[in-house]
Amino acid sequence: MAYLTMENITRFYRDNHVLANSNVDFELRRNEIHALVGENGAGKTTLMKILYGLEQPDEGRIFLNGSEVFIRSPLDANRYGIGMVHQHFRLIPDFTAAENIIFGMEPKRRLFFLNRREAEEMVRSISDQFGFDVDPSAVVKNMTVGEKQQVEIMRMLYRNDETLILDEPTSVLTGRQIESLFYTLKKLTRAGKSIILITHKLNEVLSIADRVSVMRQGKVKGTYRRGEVDKKELSQLIFGRDVQFFAGRGVSSGHKFAGKKIFELKNVSIRSGDIKPLLDSICLSVSPGEIVGVTGAAGNGLRELEDVVSGLRDLSGGQVFYHGEDITNFSVHKFREKGFAYVPADRMKRGSSLQASLKQNLIIINHDGFSRFGILNRRRINSFVSKKLRQFSIDGNPDLPLHLLSGGNIQKTVLARELSIETDFIIFSEPTWGLDSAAGEYVYKKIRTHRDKGKGVLLFSSNLDEILGLADTVFVLFHGRIAGRLDNDGSLTKELVGTYMLGLEIDE
Amino acid sequence: MNRREKENIIVSFWGVLLVLGASLLFAAVLIFLLSSEPLPAVKYFFTGPFLSRYFFGNMLDAAVPLIFTGLGISLAFKASLFNLGGEGQIYMGALVTTVVCLALPEFNGLAGGLTALAAGSLAAGLLAALSGYLKVKWNVDSMISSFLLSSAVVYGVNFFITGYFKDPSSSLLSTPFIDSRYFLPHLMNPSTLSTSIFFALGGAVIIYFLLYRTRWGYEMTMCGLNPEFARYGGVNVSSYVTMPFFLSGLMHGLGGGFAVLGTYHMSIKGFTSGMGWGGIAVALIAKNNPLGVIPAALFFAYLNAGSKAAMLHTDVTFEVAAVVEAFVFFFITSEVIFSFIRRKRRSLL
Ligand SMILES: Nc1ncnc2c1ncn2[C@@H]1O[C@H](COP(=O)(O)OP(=O)(O)OP(=O)(O)O)[C@@H](O)[C@H]1O
Ligand SMILES: [Mg+2]
């Protein structure tokens, strides 16, 4: 039985003349997990924002239990039991988990603020009921993405939402975190909730969704029950072709990388007051034609190491070399002068400037090359920008602010920029977060091309399929140390890497 | 520029015009209520500035320092810096310009004038740059430090004008007149309008070019919008704190210097007072667009001239005129602030 129906929804963005949703029909049943898939910019987020009251449709109606409802704001949505976790989290970093969860809907029993202990108690009871694993008194900015996400979900549960919308919840999670998220989602449907799940990972759709709706260019192409379509058909429906994402392990001949090194870390450590260092004696090197993969569970030093190699964070000890030259504690400015390219995991704050235009975002590292005597050559900039937009099929107006782009198109903008520089060393951190399979496939191809041209690639990823599919050498971090250095010679398995990630196995 | 952009500009243009119109209307209503001879008061308020060459020229002349200070504020704003020290900077620029002119009486007019202007704007620029430096060095809040430094400097300048450099033969609290060879040619006698207006217009064009067409302006804008991103992109972020402040102070100093060479021909106690704050209002109306600063400054000058005319011809008192101006200022800034908040909120969502 249809419980929530969106009928004939149309949304046209006047700012950039985009028809984001065009006569969309969508139907959600009670207790189902309904996956919503489609390529970057297909209109998934827009449709869900309409359901959540963040956007108003130009046309169309929404029915709940058969009667029409008007959702003008998230407050209205909440009244109808609809909650949403956004593609990019919106928690307040300085608040605790409990404070974030009750924020905006504090219990009205008291005249003044309720006491902290009481709030934490309420949160703890939700946590126990559904098996979450978050300390209610922990401050959000110190949390891993997985924990933040749990906080976002608990927030909806606290508000008694019946319909839960999750916009790409899995794109930033590690394999284990995804498993536990899915476990929770299953449990929630059994408790009577209905869930809409946006994702780009077709395996997830097949494994967890009861039904799946496919969007393409603002339209819903169809809705299918579990078992009705397989991965290949889904991919056909989404892209109009079969996309070989994650297919094949592009291991490079398994040859040994000896001698020349492009980039090297020697005994790198970071201590920040505590007894336990964030990074402890990291030794690692990247040779020409090598993809070095670095992985680890969240909170084990991956992000810190990323900051070190990109020059954003100073070391407490150890050295960094580039072609044998000591560049320890170099500034990012120097780093860029050396011509390094770097795709950061944090694309929204570090990797892009959301208020700046798409064009301004694309030229941040090479605008020097477009200027003579300090004057920018606009014609050359424009032709560069339109070339990049074409090359990476970025859907957006170069002169409008970046935040108007869809999530995936913002990601592509960062990639397009970093891949445009000629360099022999590139750092990728979580390169496929938020990308649809076609774009992901393209990025993998690019990474392999770099390797095959004899360049060095340092790949940070919490996605083991990605690591095993790309890396020649795999480093696993555990508690800030290298638990293992593994050759990806074809015999390496996810399970083995997993045991290192959990610290069950540590090589000395 | 594509069609969308044009439409956007037109939309925001009408938006601003609407607010300006509404605030003028509001001013009229206010005068109408506060004056015992309301009709003539309102009439003079609106038409006063156009009644004679004298009033009209003076109005244009009053816009000149506002253009400079408005440009200075806009410039700093692009780098996300708020220069609250405009009052002190323009006053300092004026005094130093005067003093250099007095010290170099035998210089020829042009070279001497330019030297004096350069000295005045440099002094003001350095004063402002100090706030930037303190921020980079010790992370001192630049808004507060610029304000405090400027307040102190105002007293310092007062001291020199009324003490050390005071013209003993004058009943005014002022320095002596500078040599007439330094005077900028007048354009609309008997008004005070001088060729300084061309320098102001040229300044706006130069700043516009600097911000939107040069590498430097691009980097500065990027630092203002998201410093973490700018740093990541290889921009030397810390250099875009002191430098914008310096340039902002430089513009203020030029405003003061031109006021001396073009209008007053000496420094009088408190004669630039209000021009610094006016610059903030002008920048807000202009939405920090250097070319927008020109009409915004003209509007502000018109408002001023209108209240002066109403004061001159009717029973409207200084207080009433000040209240009217304050209300209009409030109107304009609140509109701008609202749209700022709207923008912020949208970006959060
Ligand atoms: N606020 C907005 N203003 C203007 N255009 C927008 C806005 N939000 C989205 N769009 C445009 O609407 C289209 C659909 O965007 P939407 O965010 O719904 O895509 P999506 O399917 O969620 O993609 P992704 O997988 O990349 O997140 C895109 O072309 C995007 O540029
Ligand atoms: Mg989206």
Side-chain angles (χ1 to χ4, degrees):
Chain A
M1 183 205 61
Y3 147 70
L4 189 154
T5 320
M6 300 180 81
E7 205 179 271
N8 205 25
I9 301 283
T10 295
R11 177 70 166 105
F12 178 71
Y13 284 116
R14 287 152 155 271
D15 280 352
N16 45 359
H17 288 251
V18 170
L19 187 57
N21 285 169
S22 144
N23 304 99
V24 171
D25 290 323
F26 178 83
E27 170 210 282
L28 182 68
R29 295 179 186 164
R30 214 173 247 298
N31 302 355
E32 76 168 338
I33 297 183
H34 193 138
L36 187 58
V37 299
E39 56 187 335
N40 291 133
K44 308 178 293 293
T45 301
T46 303
L47 186 66
M48 290 302 114
K49 278 185 179 164
I50 288 172
L51 184 54
Y52 187 56
L54 280 173
E55 297 276 358
Q56 298 306 311
D58 301 321
E59 247 177 73
R61 310 202 288 175
I62 302 174
F63 297 90
L64 192 69
N65 288 322
S67 49
E68 183 165 10
V69 292
F70 299 92
I71 307 175
R72 301 236 155 72
S73 69
L75 270 177
D76 284 349
N78 181 249
R79 202 165 313 138
Y80 297 118
I82 300 169
M84 178 163 178
V85 177
H86 296 274
Q87 199 162 353
H88 316 295
F89 299 153
R90 292 165 181 203
L91 299 171
I92 302 166
D94 288 316
F95 278 18
T96 64
E99 284 165 340
N100 264 291
I101 289 166
I102 64 164
F103 182 69
M105 263 203 120
E106 297 82 356
K108 293 218 172 75
R109 261 179 297 143
R110 293 256 181 85
L111 199 52
F112 297 105
F113 292 106
L114 79 169
N115 73 39
R116 167 171 283 172
R117 192 128 28 84
E118 199 174 338
E120 286 172 6
E121 224 27 73
M122 303 175 70
V123 170
R124 200 160 281 134
S125 83
I126 296 173
S127 187
D128 291 344
Q129 193 184 341
F130 293 100
F132 288 101
D133 180 26
V134 180
D135 172 8
S137 63
V139 177
V140 163
K141 67 178 169 203
N142 301 327
M143 290 183 174
T144 64
V145 271
E147 289 168 333
K148 285 184 193 161
Q149 189 152 60
Q150 293 188 32
V151 173
E152 290 265 20
I153 296 173
M154 283 162 79
R155 191 173 147 80
M156 296 193 289
L157 298 177
Y158 169 78
R159 296 176 160 229
N160 273 325
D161 288 332
E162 291 294 315
T163 306
L164 314 182
I165 307 167
L166 294 116
D167 194 351
E168 296 193 29
T170 59
S171 63
V172 296
L173 298 184
T174 62
R176 202 161 292 273
Q177 288 169 325
I178 294 173
E179 276 170 33
S180 88
L181 171 71
F182 283 0
Y183 175 79
T184 312
L185 294 187
K186 281 264 183 344
K187 208 161 169 176
L188 288 171
T189 55
R190 279 199 297 274
K193 313 283 182 192
S194 315
I195 296 173
I196 302 171
L197 175 78
I198 299 181
T199 179
H200 288 297
K201 300 180 189 164
L202 303 186
N203 287 334
E204 293 176 356
V205 174
L206 297 172
S207 76
I208 191 174
D210 299 305
R211 292 197 301 158
V212 52
S213 291
V214 180
M215 285 193 80
R216 183 133 193 246
Q217 291 167 357
K219 292 199 168 65
V220 167
K221 285 286 160 196
T223 300
Y224 308 89
R225 281 193 311 280
R226 173 200 288 278
E228 220 177 334
V229 281
D230 63 15
K231 198 169 165 185
K232 205 161 168 172
E233 287 163 326
L234 259 184
S235 170
Q236 276 287 351
L237 287 163
I238 296 173
F239 301 105
R241 67 186 171 102
D242 186 18
V243 172
Q244 293 293 327
F245 197 37
F246 293 136
R249 309 209 345 186
V251 182
S252 77
S253 66
H255 72 261
K256 293 278 167 265
F257 300 97
K260 227 177 101 194
K261 284 166 185 158
I262 296 182
F263 189 81
E264 191 175 12
L265 300 179
K266 275 190 186 156
N267 292 315
V268 164
S269 303
I270 288 193
R271 261 170 280 272
S272 72
D274 299 2
I275 337 117
K276 208 186 99 203
L278 295 168
L279 289 179
D280 191 4
S281 320
I282 304 286
C283 294
L284 167 162
S285 68
V286 183
S287 300
E290 184 183 26
I291 300 175
V292 172
V294 182
T295 190
N300 279 283
L302 225 55
R303 293 290 87 83
E304 287 79 8
L305 192 59
E306 179 186 333
D307 287 353
V308 165
V309 297
S310 55
L312 283 154
R313 187 161 182 164
D314 283 350
L315 315 181
S316 319
Q319 285 165 298
V320 184
F321 295 93
Y322 176 62
H323 284 295
E325 179 193 352
D326 187 342
I327 53 168
T328 312
N329 291 343
F330 54 138
S331 66
V332 201
H333 186 68
K334 267 261 189 52
F335 170 98
R336 289 295 191 182
E337 265 175 7
K338 297 255 175 240
F340 297 175
Y342 163 41
V343 177
D346 180 358
R347 313 261 219 282
M348 292 302 140
K349 189 124 189 294
R350 178 178 299 175
S352 52
S353 186
L354 296 175
Q355 301 299 326
S357 70
L358 170 54
K359 187 191 286 177
Q360 288 174 319
N361 268 280
L362 278 172
I363 60 169
I364 188 79
I365 40 180
N366 54 1
H367 64 275
D368 251 4
F370 293 122
S371 66
R372 261 187 83 190
F373 310 118
I375 296 167
L376 297 170
N377 183 329
R378 296 206 292 164
R379 190 137 39 83
R380 279 181 53 214
I381 289 177
N382 287 339
S383 81
F384 167 79
V385 167
S386 45
K387 190 173 124 205
K388 288 298 146 192
L389 297 192
R390 229 178 313 114
Q391 217 174 345
F392 284 79
S393 51
I394 297 171
D395 187 6
N397 180 327
D399 292 308
L400 289 179
L402 195 70
H403 68 84
L404 294 184
L405 266 58
S406 83
N409 279 305
I410 296 177
Q411 313 281 357
K412 289 194 215 167
T413 305
V414 180
L415 282 156
R417 179 186 60 226
E418 298 301 322
L419 289 174
S420 68
I421 24 184
E422 274 303 316
T423 175
D424 64 353
F425 180 57
I426 309 187
I427 302 164
F428 288 98
S429 185
E430 313 291 357
T432 50
W433 270 2
L435 294 186
D436 64 40
S437 320
E441 179 191 49
Y442 183 75
V443 170
Y444 285 173
K445 210 183 322 166
K446 276 284 188 185
I447 294 179
R448 291 198 181 108
T449 314
H450 276 293
R451 188 251 320 270
D452 296 340
K453 281 192 197 152
K455 301 175 177 187
V457 177
L458 186 54
L459 169 71
F460 291 91
S461 177
S462 40
N463 178 339
L464 291 186
D465 288 314
E466 193 163 281
I467 289 282
L468 290 178
L470 290 171
D472 298 300
T473 317
V474 180
F475 286 85
V476 186
L477 293 187
F478 180 71
H479 284 189
R481 300 165 130 241
I482 291 176
R485 180 195 178 284
L486 312 163
D487 281 326
N488 190 9
D489 52 9
S491 65
L492 194 57
T493 60
K494 264 162 99 164
E495 288 68 31
L496 182 62
V497 178
T499 55
Y500 280 93
M501 281 170 72
L502 291 174
L504 300 175
E505 188 124 22
I506 292 179
D507 298 342
E508 279 314 317
Chain B
M1 200 188 287
N2 62 26
R3 211 178 95 228
R4 273 275 17 121
E5 264 182 273
K6 268 192 201 128
E7 277 174 32
N8 278 341
I9 285 176
I10 290 167
V11 167
S12 71
F13 174 76
W14 285 112
V16 170
L17 222 60
L18 201 73
V19 174
L20 296 190
S23 40
L24 281 180
L25 197 73
F26 188 76
V29 171
L30 213 63
I31 294 178
F32 199 85
L33 294 176
L34 293 176
S35 166
S36 60
E37 32 183 345
L39 281 177
V42 170
K43 187 190 122 206
Y44 278 113
F45 179 78
F46 282 107
T47 59
F50 304 106
L51 287 182
S52 68
R53 275 165 74 92
Y54 176 73
F55 284 125
F56 188 66
N58 279 359
M59 177 184 81
L60 292 184
D61 193 40
V64 171
L66 289 174
I67 291 177
F68 280 109
T69 52
L71 287 174
I73 299 295
S74 304
L75 197 75
F77 228 92
K78 281 280 172 190
S80 243
L81 299 168
F82 213 149
N83 177 5
L84 280 187
E87 286 285 318
Q89 290 152 22
I90 189 170
Y91 204 18
M92 173 107 146
L95 176 71
V96 173
T97 305
T98 313
V99 170
V100 173
C101 285
L102 290 174
L104 302 170
E106 62 284 341
F107 239 29
N108 94 35
L110 187 65
L114 287 179
T115 314
L117 271 179
S121 53
L122 199 68
L126 291 176
L127 171 63
L130 190 57
S131 292
Y133 178 78
L134 289 175
K135 178 176 167 133
V136 174
K137 194 82 181 167
W138 288 301
N139 204 18
V140 178
D141 187 281
S142 57
M143 205 153 94
I144 293 175
S145 76
S146 62
F147 176 73
L148 293 180
L149 281 168
S150 141
S151 312
V153 162
V154 167
Y155 286 106
V157 175
N158 277 342
F159 166 77
F160 282 110
I161 292 180
T162 58
Y164 194 75
F165 294 117
K166 179 168 174 350
D167 180 2
S169 64
S170 161
S171 59
L172 272 175
L173 286 174
S174 72
T175 63
F177 273 103
I178 57 174
D179 193 289
S180 64
R181 277 173 305 171
Y182 298 128
F183 293 7
L184 288 170
H186 276 232
L187 291 178
M188 217 182 266
N189 279 324
S191 79
T192 53
L193 183 66
S194 71
T195 49
S196 64
I197 193 160
F198 299 128
F199 289 91
L201 298 180
V205 173
I206 290 173
I207 298 293
Y208 179 88
F209 185 82
L210 215 60
L211 279 179
Y212 294 102
R213 298 282 187 272
T214 67
R215 193 191 125 189
W216 180 87
Y218 167 74
E219 292 188 351
M220 195 179 99
T221 311
M222 298 322 280
C223 289
L225 287 173
N226 178 356
E228 174 165 2
F229 172 68
R231 173 160 179 246
Y232 150 87
V235 175
N236 191 349
V237 178
S238 58
S239 70
Y240 286 102
V241 176
T242 314
M243 210 197 307
F245 255 112
F246 174 71
L247 287 178
S248 180
L250 205 72
M251 295 316 288
H252 281 89
L254 283 176
F258 277 111
V260 171
L261 300 186
T263 310
Y264 295 94
H265 307 139
M266 60 174 151
S267 284
I268 311 161
K269 187 186 173 205
F271 77 126
T272 59
S273 149
M275 293 174 182
W277 299 127
I280 294 177
V282 165
L284 283 173
I285 302 173
K287 306 212 153 127
N288 301 317
N289 182 327
L291 296 182
V293 160
I294 298 169
L298 285 172
F299 172 78
F300 217 70
Y302 169 61
L303 202 66
N304 249 309
S307 7
K308 262 192 205 139
M311 251 159 39
L312 204 67
H313 294 280
T314 65
D315 71 334
V316 171
T317 58
F318 176 77
E319 285 75 21
V320 172
V323 167
V324 168
E325 271 185 40
F327 263 101
V328 171
F329 184 75
F330 178 76
F331 243 118
I332 292 160
T333 47
S334 63
E335 193 277 340
V336 176
I337 286 166
F338 278 134
S339 73
F340 182 73
I341 292 170
R342 266 202 301 279
R343 225 178 31 230
K344 277 268 150 142
R345 188 158 31 180
R346 197 168 337 132
S347 73
L348 283 176
L349 293 177

